[in-house]
């Protein structure tokens, strides 16, 4: 944890002398409030995208946010601000420097303020405010921008913000895309077991509806991603927006197969032959030379033809056969709606499984698995 504080303080070449609690202004203070902070000049303008010298001698592009949030929710300076060698851009003249860095007495970075020249007048262009909790841990940030009118300084407007909430043990429990203490339309909730091990992250942004869940393994790495079909834009073989497990690296078009039935596709082409197949052993799913229907290396599970309106609707018996094949051969079942157009079929999650998966109070390690596999 201390290494993260040191990286934060080193943004403008400052050395953190002691591990004290950051004395930066609170989120409620606004960007302009900087009483008691030390100010230092940075001789590089950050109003636009720049390519700067990195600490390891590399070239660093300043596009995007200056900091990022890790998948497990912890806030760290993993964006461009952490990689720039700010000591190379130190400026002794704070009255003309295009960027000012504000730090507390311990050297912790509290503000990066941007300045620009408009019709010969030096005006504040915006910047970033960094916030910390009572233990001195990063708890959030806010980005600000100004809109100028007739050469005069305009009020700064917040353009981006983030807040982290932690439990008594210091584990991140929520990521909120807003300044701490303010309401937001959605958040990300982190589910942990009693030992603090991260089990999954539930994304409610931006509407407040849970739509994506990332599961983590015991090694802390992402294991799989579950999402609603409507979020990813995949096709659905029926009505509604069922949840499914997002397949790994694939270039295939994906279609969600609803195991409870009701699967149908509208092609608009009457009497068009279709078939649902599984790849035979020894053939790679992403083989670029094997995209079309070929009986030499594909086994037909069910087949038929579209009706007079161009609709394809497998009957209940065929649907059960496909559902069984999806369980036995995951990632290797395809629906050819014609001879050359195919979709990789993925099974939908049962509604009760999805409900358990997005329940942040459910700390069972297998909350997102079907009942028989937990």
């Amino acid at each position: 944890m201390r290494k993260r504080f040191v990286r934060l303080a080193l943004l403008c070449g400052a050395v953190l002398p002691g591990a004290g609690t950051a004395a930066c202004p609170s989120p409620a203070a606004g960007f302009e409030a900087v009483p008691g902070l030390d100010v230092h000049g940075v001789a590089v303008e950050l109003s636009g995208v720049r390519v700067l010298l990195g600490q390891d001698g590399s070239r660093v592009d300043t596009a995007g946010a200056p900091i990022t949030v890790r998948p497990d929710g912890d806030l760290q300076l993993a964006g461009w601000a952490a990689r720039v060698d700010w000591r190379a851009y130190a400026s002794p003249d704070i009255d003309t420097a295009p960027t000012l860095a504000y730090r507390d007495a311990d050297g912790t970075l509290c503000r990066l303020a941007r300045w620009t020249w408009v019709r010969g007048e030096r005006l504040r262009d915006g910047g970033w405010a960094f916030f910390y909790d009572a233990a001195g841990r990063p708890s959030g940030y806010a980005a600000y921008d100004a809109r100028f009118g007739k050469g005069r300084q305009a009020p700064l407007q917040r353009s981006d913000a983030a807040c982290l909430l932690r439990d008594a043990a210091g584990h991140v429990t929520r990521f909120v895309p807003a300044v701490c203490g303010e309401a937001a339309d959605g958040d990300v909730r982190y589910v942990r077991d009693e030992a603090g091990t991260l089990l999954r992250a539930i994304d409610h942004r931006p509407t407040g509806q849970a739509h994506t869940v990332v599961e983590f393994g015991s090694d802390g790495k992402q294991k799989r991603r579950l999402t609603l079909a409507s979020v990813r834009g995949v096709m659905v073989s029926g009505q509604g927006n069922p949840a499914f497990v997002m397949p790994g690296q694939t270039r295939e078009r994906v279609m969600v197969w609803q195991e409870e039935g009701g699967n149908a596709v509208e092609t608009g082409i009457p009497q068009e032959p279709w078939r649902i197949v599984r790849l035979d052993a020894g053939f790679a799913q992403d083989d670029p030379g094997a995209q079309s229907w070929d009986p030499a290396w594909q086994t037909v599970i069910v087949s038929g033809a579209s009706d007079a309106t161009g609709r394809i609707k497998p009957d209940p018996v065929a649907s059960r056969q496909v559902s069984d094949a999806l369980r036995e051969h995951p990632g290797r079942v395809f629906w050819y709606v014609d001879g050359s157009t195919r979709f990789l079929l993925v099974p939908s999650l049962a509604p009760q499984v999805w409900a358990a998966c997005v329940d942040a109070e459910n700390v069972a390690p297998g909350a997102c698995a079907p009942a028989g596999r937990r």
Side-chain angles (χ1 to χ4, degrees), residues 11-102:
L11 276 175
C12 291
V15 176
L16 185 61
T21 299
C24 297
S26 70
F31 186 74
E32 303 288 348
V34 290
L37 298 179
D38 296 327
V39 57
H40 294 261
V42 180
V44 59
E45 185 177 355
L46 298 178
S47 298
V49 176
R50 301 289 301 275
V51 176
L52 304 179
L53 176 67
Q55 297 174 18
D56 59 356
S58 63
R59 294 162 61 88
V60 178
D61 192 332
T62 64
I67 64 178
T68 59
V69 179
R70 297 190 320 204
D72 63 0
D74 214 353
L75 185 67
Q76 66 174 3
L77 290 174
W80 55 263
R83 306 198 309 273
V84 171
D85 184 2
W86 295 104
R87 292 168 295 184
Y89 302 101
S91 172
D93 189 353
I94 63 174
D95 293 326
T96 61
T99 301
L100 297 180
Y102 295 86

Side-chain angles (χ1 to χ4, degrees), residues 132-215:
Y132 307 83
D133 62 17
R137 298 169 300 209
S139 64
Y141 68 91
Y144 295 85
D145 294 286
R147 292 184 175 87
F148 301 104
K150 298 182 179 180
R152 299 191 306 171
Q153 176 69 63
L156 296 180
Q157 298 183 4
R158 190 189 307 147
S159 57
D160 185 29
C163 173
L164 294 181
L165 301 179
R166 302 174 186 266
D167 59 21
H171 300 127
V172 174
T173 58
R174 290 177 66 198
F175 167 81
V176 184
V179 167
C180 293
E182 296 186 0
D185 293 331
D187 60 9
V188 182
R189 302 175 190 179
Y190 299 90
V191 181
R192 303 175 185 274
D193 61 18
E194 293 183 356
T197 302
L198 181 63
L199 302 176
R200 61 191 190 278
I202 308 170
D203 198 338
H204 295 76
R205 300 168 297 177
T207 64
Q209 177 192 18
H211 58 76
T212 301
V213 177
V214 177
E215 284 188 308

